[in-house]
Amino acid sequence: MRFRQVHLDFHTSEVITPIGDRFDKKQFQEMLKLGHVDSITVFSKCHHGWAYHPSEANEIHPGLSYDLLAAQIEAAHEINVKTPVYLSAGLDEKLARRHPEWLIRDINDRTNWADGFMEPGYHKFCMNSPYLDILIKQIQEVLLRYDADGLFLDIVGVSKCYCHNCVETIRRQGKDPRDEEAMKVLWENTYANYTGRVKDTVESIKPGLPIFHNGGHIKRGRRDLASMNTHLELESLPTGGWGYDHFPLSARYVQTLGVNFLGMTGKFHTAWGEFGGYKHPNALRYEAALSLAHGARCSIGDQLQPDGFMDPVTYEIIGKAYREVESKEAWCVNTTNVADVAILSLEATGVHPKAKQNGSLADSDVGATRMLLEGKILFDIIDMEHDFSAYQVLILPDYVAVNGELKNKLDMFLKQGGKILATGWSGLDQDCTSFTFDFGARYLGVNPYRPDYFRPLFKPASMGAASFIMYSEGQKLELDGGTELGSREDSYFNRDVLTFCSHQHTPCSHVYGGPGMVESSSGIYMAWNVFEDYANQGSLILKETILYALDRLLQSKKTLNTNLPAQGVTTLQEQKEEKRLVNHLLYASPVRRGKSIEVIEDILPLYDVEVSIRTPRHVKNVYLAPQNQPISYTFENGSVFYTIPKLECHQMVVIEYE
């Protein structure tokens, strides 16, 4: 799996002709060299359903007069660039209009992606239909005829479907299609059958060929779905709706699975399907570096013009990022993430059954990730199958449902000396009568006041003593042997038509409403959904409270400390075979353009960034990479201290040990 991939989209309408008339082998190669590209995904079949090569299993695009796929593969291989081959698996608009009975339908018989056929767009196929046999033949043909270096199958996943095939299948099993649980089993089996048939087809022709099934998201807690791929590609276009929080959240989970993976961004100003849109080169430099810092390799999305001419501006921009990646690869292979803390993903555990969740399922995971990145805490994101003993602290964000299996694992974790940081509904039993762990407080129920206020009994890092607004739902507590770290103060009343005050919410009454944050031998509990709140409101007190709690729980045993500003990102990767730690530091400040697009344009350098890393190993050398420039350091009391003279976008510091 290579480091510098381009994902070359080529979804081209049959109305456009001719196709590929400006493709030129030399120009194609020159652009790959300009972009420092070492792997490029090329198209066998697009969302419109057309093949870009002669085909018996499909139909060649009516505007294409030659074998474009073969020409691209030949040109790339000639300069040692790999060519995974793309097939649109879930979408095939040509065939959709011929066989609408094979499409996914919702419970009201509507198609998805495009709602019906009177609006522009694609329609997704059900794999529990004769379409799957056609797709398998298309895959067979590509693998038998072309020297593919991998297979990328797009727009697939476990899909809800009430098409006639699915309804008939469930009825033949003697089950009721109105029973959603029975239908869920069918949908899971449909996807497993599809991936199984693809794997069998590939193994019968090209054993060991890389396969990736793209559904746009790697679901945390579904290792079975992840294992249906040979590697993972984390689609995450910051400007396309994902934002800059998404990739670290996904990558910090995927690296724990021990599989090769890459981060997929795009060259576009917005997202896929955009012609003539370009990011600033600094954005791609940062996004590629962000992949490296999280143990991933890199992929940048592009879209080929219908005439087949590779856009020089695009590959000049890509080249500025990939030239840097190329110089850094040696320090980014076979890495494992060093982490003190783990976030037990809410997506992987499920929401507490009594909780009335107001936000997205991802908000709590996003808020926790954002806080830890800004606080320079080394962390992983894990599921229930992971080994908890690898961490000093486990975070249960907001709504984690503690069932019997999870409770047993957490009990063992606590016995081994680990600590829990829980918030909101996390840590409560299934019936909400008490805590499942001793947090030094008694649970009394949902606090009737919303919003209410939090008064820390410690000094926040940036502010003085105050009562801070808490926007999210709170739980009411009574102290029971724990140490109170902060109290709740109720508002005068809830905002209502007969009782309201000012523009937003009622002010604090300063009446004591019980503890809001408590500590015990098990860890620390905070009585609000603080991570969800941080994802939505971004209030500073939330972050400073959580970072204070983590400092107490880690007891001065944090692996890494730095004065890198909040917008900076730092990770610590270990190359065990090379006997070295690699400290990645990044700094850029996204700004909002338009209504919702985060862009990176200017990258300002930072100077004299201080770092200390605690390690049980004896450090023998510290240097900057890829510059191979030694820097001065001190090593005392099990920690190495150094100062980075200048940080511009991304800097690696290599710590060699004996």
Side-chain angles (χ1 to χ4, degrees):
M1 190 173 178
R2 293 191 171 177
F3 272 91
R4 292 167 276 121
Q5 180 158 302
V6 161
H7 186 94
L8 188 65
D9 258 13
F10 196 49
H11 303 294
T12 312
S13 168
E14 64 277 7
V15 180
I16 299 176
T17 59
I19 297 297
D21 61 313
R22 292 186 67 200
F23 174 82
D24 178 80
K25 177 180 180 179
K26 183 178 179 182
Q27 196 265 347
F28 186 80
Q29 292 174 331
E30 287 175 349
M31 292 302 101
L32 296 181
K33 292 175 182 177
L34 178 64
H36 290 254
V37 176
D38 62 9
S39 178
I40 184 166
T41 302
V42 289
F43 268 42
S44 164
K45 171 193 169 188
C46 72
H47 290 344
H48 291 276
W50 301 108
Y52 294 92
H53 53 85
S55 175
E56 283 76 54
N58 196 359
E59 298 171 46
I60 191 170
H61 192 290
L64 183 63
S65 60
Y66 65 99
D67 193 332
L68 177 60
L69 177 62
Q72 290 174 326
I73 290 175
E74 178 185 343
H77 283 181
E78 198 171 278
I79 57 171
N80 192 30
V81 174
K82 287 194 172 184
T83 55
V85 173
Y86 176 105
L87 287 95
S88 179
L91 305 178
D92 184 324
E93 194 59 20
K94 162 176 55 65
L95 205 56
R97 293 179 180 271
R98 298 173 186 173
H99 290 284
E101 73 276 14
W102 295 348
L103 297 174
I104 287 175
R105 303 278 175 161
D106 70 11
I107 200 165
N108 295 312
D109 207 37
R110 291 188 297 259
T111 58
N112 65 5
W113 277 60
D115 187 10
F117 285 92
M118 294 307 292
E119 61 180 70
Y122 305 114
H123 303 82
K124 191 176 178 182
F125 275 92
C126 177
M127 295 298 181
N128 184 30
S129 74
Y131 170 72
L132 178 57
D133 292 329
I134 293 173
L135 178 63
I136 293 297
K137 289 178 182 177
Q138 293 170 351
I139 293 170
Q140 288 173 331
E141 181 179 75
V142 167
L143 297 182
L144 288 168
R145 293 185 179 181
Y146 298 96
D147 187 13
D149 293 311
L151 200 60
F152 188 105
L153 298 162
D154 205 7
I155 320 298
V156 288
V158 178
S159 300
K160 295 177 68 171
C161 183
Y162 289 90
C163 73
H164 296 291
N165 289 303
C166 287
V167 170
E168 181 61 26
T169 297
I170 211 74
R171 292 187 69 188
R172 282 200 307 268
Q173 296 174 1
K175 299 173 184 176
D176 189 336
R178 293 166 293 189
D179 180 357
E180 187 171 7
E181 292 306 311
M183 294 300 289
K184 284 180 179 179
V185 173
L186 172 64
W187 301 331
E188 293 277 350
N189 289 339
T190 295
Y191 183 64
N193 177 63
Y194 149 75
T195 60
R197 287 193 61 186
V198 170
K199 182 178 180 180
D200 291 344
T201 300
V202 172
E203 290 299 306
S204 69
I205 301 171
K206 288 192 173 181
L209 188 77
I211 307 169
F212 179 65
H213 305 275
N214 185 44
H217 176 62
I218 306 302
K219 188 171 183 180
R220 296 180 289 280
R222 290 300 306 269
R223 296 187 178 207
D224 57 332
L225 298 180
S227 68
M228 294 174 184
N229 305 278
T230 60
H231 66 285
L232 297 174
E233 304 194 19
L234 310 189
E235 187 178 357
S236 184
L237 281 64
T239 57
W242 283 264
Y244 280 95
D245 289 323
H246 178 267
F247 178 74
L249 169 58
S250 188
R252 283 280 51 82
Y253 172 67
V254 166
Q255 196 177 11
T256 69
L257 303 181
V259 298
N260 286 327
F261 71 106
L262 56 80
M264 179 189 289
T265 184
K267 69 95 178 182
F268 317 104
H269 174 64
T270 56
W272 299 109
E274 178 184 70
F275 291 102
Y278 303 92
K279 273 181 180 153
H280 194 284
N282 282 341
L284 284 185
R285 290 177 60 214
Y286 179 82
E287 290 159 22
L290 195 64
S291 286
L292 298 181
H294 287 82
R297 311 204 176 183
C298 307
S299 177
I300 297 174
D302 179 27
Q303 183 161 222
L304 186 64
Q305 290 282 344
D307 61 14
F309 189 79
M310 297 279 274
D311 179 34
V313 174
T314 292
Y315 288 87
E316 183 179 356
I317 293 171
I318 290 173
K320 289 179 180 178
Y322 275 177
R323 182 168 58 247
E324 294 184 18
V325 171
E326 187 174 14
S327 70
K328 298 171 182 176
E329 292 173 8
W331 294 274
C332 301
V333 293
N334 300 322
T335 60
T336 55
N337 187 50
V338 177
D340 296 327
V341 173
I343 300 169
L344 186 57
S345 172
L346 180 59
E347 184 181 59
T349 58
V351 175
H352 194 289
K354 297 286 186 179
K356 295 179 182 178
Q357 193 182 6
N358 299 300
S360 161
L361 181 66
D363 282 348
S364 296
D365 285 354
V366 167
T369 300
R370 187 183 297 168
M371 279 191 192
L372 270 58
L373 285 171
E374 292 176 355
K376 310 302 175 282
I377 304 294
L378 300 182
F379 69 101
D380 283 334
I381 296 176
I382 63 172
D383 57 27
M384 289 172 56
E385 296 180 52
H386 199 79
D387 178 13
F388 293 178
S389 67
Y391 308 99
Q392 299 179 61
V393 178
L394 283 182
I395 296 176
L396 310 185
D398 298 342
Y399 295 99
V400 172
V402 181
N403 57 24
E405 177 190 358
L406 179 55
K407 186 178 185 311
N408 290 338
K409 288 199 69 172
L410 290 172
D411 282 339
M412 182 62 67
F413 174 70
L414 292 171
K415 286 180 182 177
Q416 294 171 341
K419 301 289 184 181
I420 293 172
L421 173 57
T423 59
W425 292 87
S426 295
L428 295 171
D429 64 19
Q430 301 291 291
D431 296 323
C432 285
T433 57
S434 62
F435 287 112
T436 50
F437 309 100
D438 179 12
F439 284 117
R442 196 161 29 248
Y443 179 66
L444 301 179
V446 176
N447 190 49
Y449 292 95
R450 182 171 181 188
D452 53 8
Y453 295 80
F454 174 61
R455 178 170 285 274
L457 300 180
F458 57 89
K459 186 185 182 307
S462 303
M463 295 172 286
S467 297
F468 296 94
I469 183 73
M470 303 299 282
Y471 296 97
S472 67
E473 186 174 61
Q475 310 296 332
K476 194 167 182 61
L477 312 176
E478 181 179 76
L479 200 64
D480 185 20
T483 300
E484 186 172 2
L485 301 178
S487 62
R488 164 185 283 107
E489 294 180 346
D490 294 326
S491 57
Y492 285 95
F493 43 74
N494 286 331
R495 189 175 179 86
D496 184 71
V497 66
L498 299 179
T499 54
F500 71 92
C501 180
S502 191
H503 297 291
Q504 287 196 56
H505 45 254
T506 312
C508 181
S509 69
H510 299 294
V511 173
Y512 179 70
M517 183 178 182
V518 290
E519 183 176 25
S520 72
S521 60
S522 298
I524 292 176
Y525 173 79
M526 192 165 181
W528 293 272
N529 305 327
V530 296
F531 297 114
E532 176 185 56
D533 199 356
Y534 195 66
N536 289 295
Q537 305 290 346
S539 177
L540 179 61
I541 189 60
L542 302 173
K543 177 174 70 173
E544 295 202 343
T545 298
I546 292 299
L547 295 180
Y548 171 80
L550 288 172
D551 281 342
R552 286 184 70 96
L553 296 175
L554 290 170
Q555 298 178 345
S556 302
K557 294 180 182 177
K558 284 174 63 178
T559 297
L560 183 146
N561 286 281
T562 179
N563 64 351
L564 186 65
Q567 284 297 117
V569 171
T570 187
T571 67
L572 187 63
Q573 301 284 332
E574 183 170 16
Q575 291 181 299
K576 293 181 180 178
E577 293 181 3
E578 304 291 340
K579 294 186 177 180
R580 62 193 183 200
L581 297 165
V582 183
N583 178 206
H584 294 261
L585 300 100
L586 299 93
Y587 184 77
S589 186
V591 297
R592 190 173 295 273
R593 294 279 171 82
K595 292 184 177 179
S596 59
I597 298 176
E598 288 184 323
V599 302
I600 290 174
E601 186 170 318
D602 298 320
I603 293 182
L604 301 178
L606 300 179
Y607 296 93
D608 298 327
V609 179
E610 299 174 359
V611 180
S612 69
I613 291 177
R614 188 172 56 84
T615 175
R617 301 173 177 89
H618 181 72
V619 173
K620 65 178 186 179
N621 190 28
V622 178
Y623 63 92
L624 302 178
Q627 300 97 319
N628 283 307
Q629 176 185 332
I631 59 173
S632 60
Y633 69 94
T634 58
F635 184 67
E636 55 187 42
N637 299 322
S639 291
V640 57
F641 301 83
Y642 50 85
T643 298
I644 300 162
K646 180 180 178 181
L647 166 60
E648 195 271 329
C649 188
H650 176 223
Q651 181 62 61
M652 297 184 295
V653 182
V654 182
I655 302 110
E656 294 182 328
Y657 55 78
E658 294 180 354

